[in-house]
Amino acid sequence: MDKVQVWDAVLTRMSEKISRMEFHTWFKKVRISEISGGAVLLSCPTEMNKNWLETKYHGMILQNIKAILPEIDKIFFNVDLTLADSPSATPQAFEKAKAPRKLPNQPDVKLTGDLKSRIVHSKFTLGNFVVGEETKLAHAACMAVTESGSKEKKKYNPLFVYGGVGLGKTHLLQGTANEIIRRNPDAIVVYTTSERFINEIVDAIRNRKGDELRKKYRRVDALILDDVQFFEGKEKTQEELFNTFNDLFEFNKQIIFSADRPPSELVGISDRLRSRMGWGLSVDVQMPGYETRLAIVQEKSKELKLVLPNDVQEFIAANVRKSLRELENILNQISAEVELSEMSPTIQSVGKMFRKLNPSEELETSDGAKAGFAKSPDEIITAVSEYFQVPATELLGNSRKQGIVFPRQIAWTLCKDILRMSHESIGKDFGGKNHTTIMHGIRKISGLKRKDSTTARHIHALRKDLGVK
Ligand code: ADP
Ligand code: MG
């Protein structure tokens, strides 16, 4: 069994145990990059993905790998950014997990003879791309491309869109492809990732069908090639791309490229190809600012049919700072949790997701204050002491007086609910008490909460004092 087969088998097992949403969100781009010496190295497309698997699925993954390779007793994780744009490493497991729902990939639209328009997602449009200062130019350029007729000379050819991971390049490119077809249903538009295009070229060369491939691409009206940095260092495929480019350009066909860098910085690409890439218009996309991110949160929640309170929307917008993929991941995650637990998301619950994904980052609220959910046991003790007017030392002590026992148990309850502390660690922080004592105390409060509304009201008021909803 090779790495791919092992991972496919592992995923097939796991897909039965976790929600499809989670499965797609967190496993699709992950692959085994090494198996050796009783250990498996899993590569993840993003830091966040890695953290998520490490904290949430470590045990489960190991268990399932062991079921297939009993000699494995360790897994390691690393980040491989190139995976973000690769197709799923283990298509089989995902095919199975997908059924019976309709595949998210739109089937190829058959147009003329053997050549079809090829677009991956109909959900990406230029209309649902939220335009901000940072992407205004790129969006306008894409719009302009879709408006130019087939007769007049193309103004922006090629159009080159560049920027970091998760800033909307693929969305813009596919949106442009969709828009060209919407305006002209007869147009043959091919959107493809560079990886796929390269594979196609390699296959054609191997099977001596280079001519056919060239003929095929010469007939498209628009060729949209995503992430051309993958061509770096691949001389043979660059040559094919160069020829295709010249053919299309000569016949006034639209070409659009994207990359993570401007053409001038694509060092592993031949001078002549690089210079052609820069012939037309190059535009960059950058991480949008807070206001735009908020608008994107709203747009994406709408698409997910997810109703989020305003403060939660603002909280997400304030804390997604590097990539909009992160934003999408968080929303998918919330949507999955809402579906599973039927709980409505709060700053606190979403904050917990953020913290799991990026443990080292400080979270902020929309007005720039540090988020109020990250309380320490000390803050809870102080708040409870003030609220019930009992000295903090008493809360930590062993007095059995009812006026003290009740507030003390409330404090434990808050530590557990807000900070997710274990009975052990609460016991430790409260003067070295046994975990069973803590457990009984917390049970007592939850019993009281059910019986009388005063207890619930106290807790509610305290949570408010602590800035927790
Ligand atoms: P890239 O190709 O640059 O790595 P993507 O196009 O894959 O980034 O974008 C990542 C996610 O963020 C996608 O789900 C995309 O829809 C979303 N996104 C990025 N920019 C915007 C935007 N301006 N408006 C709406 N969604 C966006
Ligand atoms: Mg992309």
Side-chain angles (χ1 to χ4, degrees), residues 67-290:
I68 291 151
L69 299 175
E71 69 274 19
I72 299 297
D73 55 11
K74 265 201 211 77
I75 28 180
F76 296 102
F77 298 85
N78 71 2
V79 178
D80 178 354
L81 291 175
T82 61
L83 291 176
D85 294 291
S86 63
S88 154
T90 52
Q92 287 174 22
F94 285 92
E95 282 314 315
K96 281 175 224 147
K98 257 187 277 189
R101 205 195 266 174
K102 192 175 171 298
L103 306 182
N105 284 2
Q106 197 186 269
D108 291 348
V109 187
K110 202 169 172 79
L111 287 170
T112 48
D114 59 332
L115 194 57
K116 313 159 185 174
S117 273
R118 211 158 72 195
I119 299 166
V120 182
H121 272 298
S122 51
K123 72 167 185 183
F124 292 129
T125 68
L126 291 181
N128 65 16
F129 186 87
V130 177
V131 183
E133 276 308 311
E134 306 76 6
T135 46
K136 214 164 71 182
L137 198 60
H139 184 264
C142 290
M143 280 306 275
V145 158
T146 68
E147 283 157 8
S148 81
S150 57
K151 299 284 181 292
E152 73 220 63
K153 182 154 168 22
K154 299 263 183 303
K155 250 197 301 188
Y156 306 129
N157 207 16
L159 174 62
F160 195 103
V161 181
Y162 65 92
V165 172
L167 301 185
K169 301 183 298 296
T170 297
H171 187 138
L172 277 175
L173 264 55
Q174 297 199 15
T176 306
N178 284 318
E179 181 64 18
I180 296 175
I181 294 193
R182 197 185 65 78
R183 284 171 188 260
N184 176 10
D186 293 330
I188 299 173
V189 178
V190 171
Y191 163 92
T192 181
T193 62
S194 294
E195 231 187 7
R196 187 166 161 183
F197 190 70
I198 291 169
N199 289 339
E200 228 177 309
I201 295 174
V202 170
D203 279 348
I205 295 173
R206 192 182 299 137
N207 302 321
R208 299 175 202 290
K209 290 193 171 152
D211 278 353
E212 262 174 55
L213 188 76
R214 263 184 86 182
K215 265 190 221 138
K216 174 175 155 192
Y217 277 102
R218 232 190 268 173
R219 288 180 42 216
V220 306
D221 295 301
L223 174 64
I224 303 179
L225 213 48
D226 207 350
D227 289 315
V228 292
Q229 73 271 10
F230 283 116
F231 277 92
E232 283 193 321
K234 303 195 171 76
E235 281 156 35
K236 197 78 197 142
T237 52
Q238 281 181 32
E239 205 177 302
E240 281 303 319
L241 177 59
F242 179 78
N243 292 332
T244 308
F245 180 97
N246 288 340
D247 291 346
L248 292 177
F249 191 81
E250 193 183 328
F251 290 102
N252 195 32
K253 304 297 176 69
Q254 182 68 48
I255 305 158
I256 308 179
F257 296 118
S258 87
D260 60 357
R261 277 157 285 161
S264 60
E265 289 173 24
L266 293 169
V267 288
I269 288 191
S270 69
D271 290 346
R272 54 179 198 172
L273 181 56
R274 187 161 12 103
S275 107
R276 273 170 178 66
M277 286 177 170
W279 264 358
L281 175 70
S282 299
V283 283
D284 69 331
V285 288
Q286 284 174 16
M287 186 63 183
Y290 172 75

